[in-house]
Amino acid sequence: MSERIKHGLRNARTSLFFYFIMLGLNLFSRKIFLEYLGDTLSGLVTTMQFTVGLLNMADIGISTAIIYALFKPIYDDDREEINRIISLFCYLFRLIGIGVVIAGTVIMFLMPSFLEDQVPPVTIMLSFLTFLATSSLSYFVNYKQYLLSAYQRGYVIVRIFNITTITKIVLQMAALMWLGGGYASFLILEVVAAVVYSWLLERCVGREYPWLKPSFALGRSIKGEYKPVFRNLKQIVSHKFAAVVLTQTDSVVIAHFISLTTVTLYYNYAMIISKLTTFVTSCFSGAWAGVGNLISEGDRDKIQHVFWQYATATMFLAGVLCGCARLLADPFISVWLGDRYLLDDATFVCMLAALYIALLRQPITVFLNGYGLYKDVWSAWLEAGLNIVISVVGGMMYGLIGVVVGTLVSTGVVVLLWKPVFLYREGFCRVGVLSFYTTLFKYLTLLAATHVMVGWLMRMAPPVGSLSSFFALAMATVAAYGVTYALLLLPVSSSLRSVFVIVLRKTLERL
């Protein structure tokens, strides 16, 4: 087994292991936090996190540029060059971190007027300061983690991050339920966990790469020697900007134009969407570095073969996850939080459609990143602009569904109509992008047939009255959906058949 495949599988196993642990913990903790913090404070936490996420657009693209710039020196085992590149980004991150702290301090004093007295001003400012402080650590300490990612050792980051996060959530629940610490203890533990995570990460990087000695002064002195890196960085920033706008603005728009309570309602479903996205990401954890190495080999037929394996596996997973979510989300919310937290069908269908497109984007983006193709900056600005305009106007006119439609339309226009064309033309250097659309149409048609059949079977199931009965229904539904969809697809998709053979062989080897 090649090192690329071995590290890729280890990344995936580690990510999936913690995914299921975090899934159960987040579902349980969400109910506790809603009960002890209330809808308004829970909505405030979500809004502060997303607002700080928007502020962190200052560093978007740098992590991608780091990993891409490190591919060649890692392949050549050029440690001196690796130190120079990490030093360069040390310099950039420090400058950006200072700017983020200054800008965040200004925004902190503006937030009370932004939320129109829904929460006391002191509470708003302390909440914002907490999440600003925790995110700022990434600029001054955590940037070294990207070396681990470039070496396909992302599982180390995943392990440290999730152990720290699990401990933090458990302590937050304990403080709220038994110690009477209230919201203040919740915020204090956020800061403590971030500091501990940064310390553990620093120790791990120092142990793995004792020869790594980044220097702010060195980075400042050599910045003029890396003009191609900065050229890539300018292009990457535009693409990451669109990604941040898509993932971070909805809650902010909802909080401003609707209410914090609606943010809480929306976030319950958004959390389900997020967990499904994380599941697919975990399945292909570390794929980018592996694809980058594959592209460096220059075998075009092999590259496109791997792309189709990645793309069809993603289409299959996305179809099963979105279809099952459509059938199971409402029964789950009812038994988990209560009927008052149910979202209307039209809004949730739009969220799932946007999710499917976002998942479909992953294999395309991984290969574009592997090729270093970022020059279509206009598409990123178009996507971000459409999302902001449609979400704001739609939110003012139609409420929550208007905001969600903004994400759906902007993502669909760019991801479905442009990105595949760009990859085939500039990356694969081949015509034939029509095969991508015909394959997607085939998968969607069979997905619709699967949904009708499994939906008909579900109508015969007894009503869900408890979490145990829901989980029994969920396991049966996922199994029926996955098997039915696979049986329809495997006879007509050779790429998916090859993926199933690989998975089956690796599973049997471990038994």
Side-chain angles (χ1 to χ4, degrees), residues 210-419:
W211 44 266
L212 182 67
K213 304 294 181 184
S215 165
F216 177 86
L218 175 61
R220 180 173 54 188
S221 67
I222 64 174
K223 62 181 184 294
E225 302 175 21
Y226 288 86
K227 291 182 180 179
V229 172
F230 283 97
R231 182 172 61 249
N232 277 343
L233 181 57
K234 291 177 183 178
Q235 296 172 347
I236 294 169
V237 163
S238 295
H239 294 280
K240 294 297 183 179
F241 172 79
V244 171
V245 168
L246 287 170
T247 57
Q248 306 291 338
T249 54
D250 283 0
S251 290
V252 178
V253 171
I254 294 167
H256 183 65
F257 292 103
I258 308 176
S259 68
L260 287 173
T261 302
T262 305
V263 173
T264 301
L265 176 66
Y266 163 80
Y267 184 69
N268 293 330
Y269 282 81
M271 189 172 78
I272 295 174
I273 298 290
S274 173
K275 294 304 176 185
L276 296 178
T277 304
T278 303
F279 175 76
V280 176
T281 303
S282 299
C283 289
F284 302 105
S285 180
W288 177 23
V291 167
N293 292 332
L294 173 66
I295 290 173
S296 298
E297 296 174 4
D299 187 336
R300 290 188 178 183
D301 291 334
K302 185 176 180 181
I303 290 169
Q304 197 153 30
H305 175 68
V306 172
F307 169 75
W308 274 114
Q309 288 181 324
Y310 193 176
T312 53
T314 302
M315 290 178 190
F316 173 76
L317 283 174
V320 173
L321 293 175
C322 291
C324 290
R326 178 69 187 94
L327 297 172
L328 296 169
D330 282 353
F332 174 66
I333 294 290
S334 293
V335 298
W336 176 37
L337 300 174
D339 290 344
R340 74 187 185 95
Y341 288 104
L342 290 175
L343 198 61
D344 65 278
D345 284 344
T347 300
F348 187 50
V349 168
C350 288
M351 292 175 70
L352 288 175
L355 169 65
Y356 186 90
I357 297 171
L359 295 177
L360 188 64
R361 180 189 207 125
Q362 291 195 23
I364 299 172
T365 301
V366 165
F367 276 78
L368 287 173
N369 288 343
Y371 279 109
L373 290 172
Y374 311 110
K375 63 184 180 181
D376 61 328
V377 294
W378 63 268
S379 68
W381 291 105
L382 174 65
E383 187 173 10
L386 283 174
N387 183 69
I388 292 174
V389 171
I390 298 175
S391 293
V392 170
V393 174
M396 295 172 64
M397 295 180 63
Y398 302 107
L400 182 57
I401 191 171
V403 178
V404 175
V405 166
T407 302
L408 174 59
V409 172
S410 59
T411 306
V413 167
V414 173
V415 174
L416 293 182
L417 300 182
W418 167 245
K419 289 296 184 180

Side-chain angles (χ1 to χ4, degrees), residues 370-506:
Y371 279 109
L373 290 172
Y374 311 110
K375 63 184 180 181
D376 61 328
V377 294
W378 63 268
S379 68
W381 291 105
L382 174 65
E383 187 173 10
L386 283 174
N387 183 69
I388 292 174
V389 171
I390 298 175
S391 293
V392 170
V393 174
M396 295 172 64
M397 295 180 63
Y398 302 107
L400 182 57
I401 191 171
V403 178
V404 175
V405 166
T407 302
L408 174 59
V409 172
S410 59
T411 306
V413 167
V414 173
V415 174
L416 293 182
L417 300 182
W418 167 245
K419 289 296 184 180
V421 175
F422 183 52
L423 175 61
Y424 267 78
R425 189 181 70 191
E426 301 291 337
F428 298 152
C429 297
R430 294 180 176 180
V431 294
V433 70
L434 184 62
S435 63
F436 179 85
Y437 293 109
T438 55
T439 300
L440 177 61
F441 178 76
K442 177 170 58 180
Y443 271 64
L444 289 175
T445 301
L446 295 178
L447 176 63
T450 301
H451 197 77
V452 170
M453 288 187 280
V454 178
W456 177 76
L457 289 173
M458 276 194 67
R459 284 195 291 271
M460 295 186 290
V464 173
S466 64
L467 280 175
S468 59
S469 61
F470 168 79
F471 285 123
L473 175 65
M475 286 188 289
T477 302
V478 171
Y481 217 107
V483 170
T484 303
Y485 198 28
L487 290 175
L488 292 176
L489 283 173
L490 288 175
V492 297
S493 178
S494 60
S495 295
L496 189 64
R497 286 199 299 272
S498 67
V499 172
F500 273 60
V501 169
I502 292 171
V503 173
L504 180 61
R505 186 172 65 246
K506 298 302 180 185

Side-chain angles (χ1 to χ4, degrees), residues 26-43:
N26 283 329
L27 294 177
F28 180 71
S29 65
R30 179 67 176 170
K31 186 175 180 65
I32 298 299
F33 293 153
L34 284 173
E35 180 179 348
Y36 285 87
L37 296 179
D39 292 352
T40 301
L41 281 180
S42 295

Side-chain angles (χ1 to χ4, degrees), residues 151-167:
Y151 271 104
Q152 282 191 279
R153 287 174 172 81
Y155 55 85
V156 176
I157 303 170
V158 170
R159 188 165 56 232
I160 295 174
F161 175 78
N162 281 282
I163 290 174
T164 306
T165 303
I166 290 168
T167 304

